[in-house]
Amino acid sequence: MSDGTLHSRDDVQGKEINKKFIYSPEEKKLLHKINWTTVPFICIISFFQVLDKTTLNLAGVMNLQEETNLQNQDFSWLGSIFFLGYLLSQIPNQFLLQKVPIGKYLGIYVILWGISLVSMAWGNNFAQLATSRFFLGFFEATTYPCLQLLISTIYRRKEQGTVFSIMLISSCVAGLFAGPIALGFRLMTGVLNWSGWRWCMAITGAITSCLGIIIYFLMPDSPKSKWYRLTSSEIDIVEDRMRDNAVVISKNYKFDHIYEALQECRYYCYIGICFLISVISGFITLYSTILISKMGIRKEISMLLHIPVAGAEIPFLFLVLYLSRRFGENNCIGALTSSMIFIGLVLLIVLGNQPAAISGLLLINVAPTFMMVLTLLSNNVSGYTKKVFYNGSYAVAFCLGNFAGPLFINENSTYLTAKIVYVLAAGIAGVLFLIARYTCVRDNRYRKQLLKTEEECNSTMIAVNITEQVVEDITDKQNLHFIYRL
């Protein structure tokens, strides 16, 4: 056992941690190396994933509808069809993620999603734009499953919440830059007889494809990646870290892991939360700039007002991260973030198209809620196939919600019916967080009582099971020493 291990046997068991984890100097050095090698990739991939997806939102105030003769709900369908491709991509994702190195798999798909975005620049009608959006969604769909799996295999469970927050902050930063970038592209209107929105698609897509090439060749994709340049002592620490995060990488697809997941109440709670919040996210992602312009604000100003709306999520993410590290009650914090979304949507209904309704948009921060779900899934799911299945289900719920979200919008300027649907979604999501917490408390109580009985009968049993965690790909349910984080 390396110096980076927990400093009590109860900690190693995974019991509720009362004693603070102490990093050895060697592990601090290793973690620094891992962060500087891995986190830049996570940040830049998250940045471009959101920026590229947001281009349609911004193109909506750059005369895209007029130039391509979009009618009625065509613009909403362009937003939704992205997630149809996203959904269909999860079928090959479920198998390929376990068979192909993450870096190579993600790199190829990033190259192809960049090409799909570039092709939108030549779209002249709904059919052409819809085809490009479909393939953009299909190829972008690998992003979050790959990053979730990467983070949960490389980082300790106590570190994963911080890395997920960094990932989502990068997404929010993309929203901050989206407005000024779009305004710059709007000024390019007329260059080579192209509109600003066409330049936006072409240039951002080309940059994304170049990023994909870098990811393919340079991104680390396993705890023992050659890019970490591990020494023999660091390999021992890495093995201890793998023991802590309870993930054993396996290329064998185990259907019993899937069957087990489908029997768990927590599975339906967390996937349901993801779906409901994604319904709201689909509405905000596609219509936030248009909502601001309906408040009597000029299109150029509405683009710039996208900055504070997107930037509001960053301080909330830091607050949620602090609360998570301070109290460790992630389900309750998730319920709190859902309540904030609920209040923001109520303000949108009450204030209508008044400029004051921007205060409602500032409260509709979906990223902190997604961060809590991602952290809970990463912390509380063990077994490689089971984790891949949970991540894939999360992606399916994410795309179905985002697909459905814009379709509640009609031509009514206030979108009242849709906003009521979104309010209900936020309220139900908060309740599901509390139900999931109850199941964690119930299972932990049973396991702690069982462990106490085992210790009285055989004090060596624990050490044997801990060793088995390293060499066996077992699930959280099968490993009775696994304690769920609340």
Side-chain angles (χ1 to χ4, degrees):
M1 194 75 67
S2 72
D3 289 339
T5 56
L6 297 176
H7 286 221
S8 76
R9 189 172 67 183
D10 284 349
D11 287 344
V12 177
Q13 286 175 211
K15 289 185 177 181
E16 205 67 35
I17 296 173
N18 296 317
K19 298 183 179 181
K20 186 178 179 181
F21 177 83
I22 301 175
Y23 287 94
S24 67
E26 291 83 2
E27 182 163 359
K28 286 182 179 179
K29 181 180 177 181
L30 172 63
L31 183 58
H32 183 78
K33 187 190 300 185
I34 291 173
N35 286 339
W36 279 102
T37 309
T38 307
V39 172
F41 281 100
I42 294 173
C43 290
I44 197 167
I45 292 169
S46 301
F47 179 91
F48 276 96
Q49 197 267 345
V50 171
L51 181 64
D52 291 353
K53 187 170 63 178
T54 309
T55 51
L56 183 65
N57 180 352
L58 300 167
V61 291
M62 286 195 279
N63 299 322
L64 177 140
Q65 294 98 316
E66 293 79 4
E67 288 190 28
T68 55
N69 298 312
L70 299 183
Q71 305 294 325
N72 301 322
Q73 283 194 306
D74 285 352
F75 187 75
S76 291
W77 273 106
L78 286 180
S80 294
I81 204 167
F82 171 97
F83 294 99
L84 179 59
Y86 202 106
L87 173 63
L88 293 178
S89 182
Q90 299 312 314
I91 299 172
N93 269 357
Q94 282 292 299
F95 293 94
L96 292 176
L97 271 176
Q98 201 158 348
K99 302 292 184 182
V100 183
I102 294 174
K104 301 292 186 285
Y105 185 56
L106 183 57
I108 291 172
Y109 269 58
V110 171
I111 293 170
L112 294 174
W113 110 40
I115 293 172
S116 300
L117 185 58
V118 170
S119 70
M120 284 193 68
W122 279 269
N124 293 309
N125 54 51
F126 173 75
Q128 293 172 351
L129 292 173
T131 301
S132 295
R133 285 284 294 179
F134 173 85
F135 284 106
L136 179 63
F138 187 91
F139 295 126
E140 275 199 37
T142 60
T143 305
Y144 282 133
C146 284
L147 294 182
Q148 286 172 245
L149 199 57
L150 181 69
I151 292 169
S152 63
T153 54
I154 290 178
Y155 287 95
R156 288 188 182 273
R157 289 207 289 168
K158 74 185 295 290
E159 299 162 355
Q160 291 167 9
T162 302
V163 182
F164 279 124
S165 69
I166 292 171
M167 182 180 80
L168 292 171
I169 287 170
S170 300
S171 300
C172 296
V173 171
L176 286 176
F177 280 93
I181 288 172
L183 188 57
F185 283 125
R186 183 180 174 88
L187 297 176
M188 292 182 68
T189 298
V191 176
L192 299 180
N193 295 319
W194 262 22
S195 299
W197 68 267
R198 294 184 189 273
W199 282 112
C200 181
M201 307 292 184
I203 293 176
T204 55
I207 294 173
T208 299
S209 290
C210 293
L211 171 64
I213 296 172
I214 296 172
I215 292 169
Y216 183 90
F217 288 105
L218 300 179
M219 180 176 168
D221 53 13
S222 71
K224 297 181 181 180
S225 170
K226 65 180 181 180
W227 299 113
Y228 294 142
R229 305 176 304 281
L230 299 174
T231 64
S232 58
S233 61
E234 287 176 335
I235 290 175
D236 292 337
I237 298 174
V238 166
E239 289 176 351
D240 185 59
R241 291 170 62 83
M242 291 170 64
R243 183 182 301 111
D244 177 71
N245 64 31
V247 177
V248 177
I249 297 176
S250 171
K251 291 189 177 181
N252 297 321
Y253 203 80
K254 299 181 179 180
F255 288 95
D256 60 306
H257 286 202
I258 297 175
Y259 180 70
E260 179 182 304
L262 292 173
Q263 293 179 302
E264 294 176 345
C265 177
R266 277 185 298 276
Y267 171 81
Y268 298 99
C269 287
Y270 292 136
I271 302 309
I273 292 166
C274 179
F275 172 78
L276 294 168
I277 298 302
S278 295
V279 167
I280 301 167
S281 175
F283 162 62
I284 294 299
T285 299
L286 192 61
Y287 278 93
S288 60
T289 306
I290 294 175
L291 280 173
I292 295 171
S293 67
K294 285 181 176 291
M295 298 172 188
I297 299 170
R298 289 191 301 121
K299 291 182 177 180
E300 292 82 357
I301 303 300
S302 67
M303 288 183 183
L304 294 177
L305 285 176
H306 189 80
I307 298 173
V309 171
E313 288 190 311
I314 295 178
F316 281 115
L317 277 169
F318 279 114
L319 176 61
V320 166
L321 176 60
Y322 167 77
L323 293 175
S324 174
R325 293 173 69 90
R326 175 68 177 81
F327 299 104
E329 287 282 350
N330 289 338
N331 283 293
C332 290
I333 296 169
L336 178 63
T337 60
S338 300
S339 301
M340 289 172 50
I341 297 172
F342 181 92
I343 295 171
L345 288 163
V346 170
L347 287 175
L348 281 185
I349 293 175
V350 173
L351 298 175
N353 287 335
Q354 300 177 45
I358 292 177
S359 61
L361 286 175
L362 293 174
L363 288 177
I364 304 174
N365 299 299
V366 296
T369 308
F370 283 135
M371 185 185 104
M372 286 297 95
V373 177
L374 288 171
T375 302
L376 287 161
L377 292 185
S378 184
N379 285 175
N380 290 340
V381 180
S382 182
Y384 201 68
T385 299
K386 186 176 180 181
K387 190 174 283 287
V388 170
F389 179 70
Y390 257 89
N391 290 343
S393 300
Y394 174 93
V396 169
F398 178 81
C399 71
L400 286 176
N402 276 279
F403 178 86
L407 298 182
F408 291 102
I409 299 294
N410 54 36
E411 292 304 307
N412 187 293
S413 62
T414 61
Y415 307 143
L416 179 60
T417 302
K419 291 175 184 176
I420 292 174
V421 171
Y422 304 142
V423 165
L424 292 174
I428 295 171
V431 173
L432 290 178
F433 269 117
L434 298 179
I435 294 174
R437 184 187 184 281
Y438 166 76
T439 66
C440 291
V441 171
R442 179 198 61 197
D443 291 349
N444 285 350
R445 186 182 299 120
Y446 168 76
R447 288 168 183 237
K448 287 179 179 179
Q449 183 60 41
L450 184 64
L451 287 173
K452 183 178 179 181
T453 303
E454 281 188 5
E455 285 177 354
E456 292 171 354
C457 297
N458 187 350
S459 61
T460 64
M461 183 82 69
I462 294 169
V464 172
N465 278 285
I466 292 170
T467 304
E468 288 176 353
Q469 289 183 40
V470 182
V471 296
E472 292 186 19
D473 179 24
I474 59 176
T475 67
D476 51 279
K477 185 175 181 180
Q478 294 167 343
N479 176 15
L480 295 179
H481 296 279
F482 188 100
I483 298 298
Y484 296 99
R485 298 200 171 199
L486 304 182

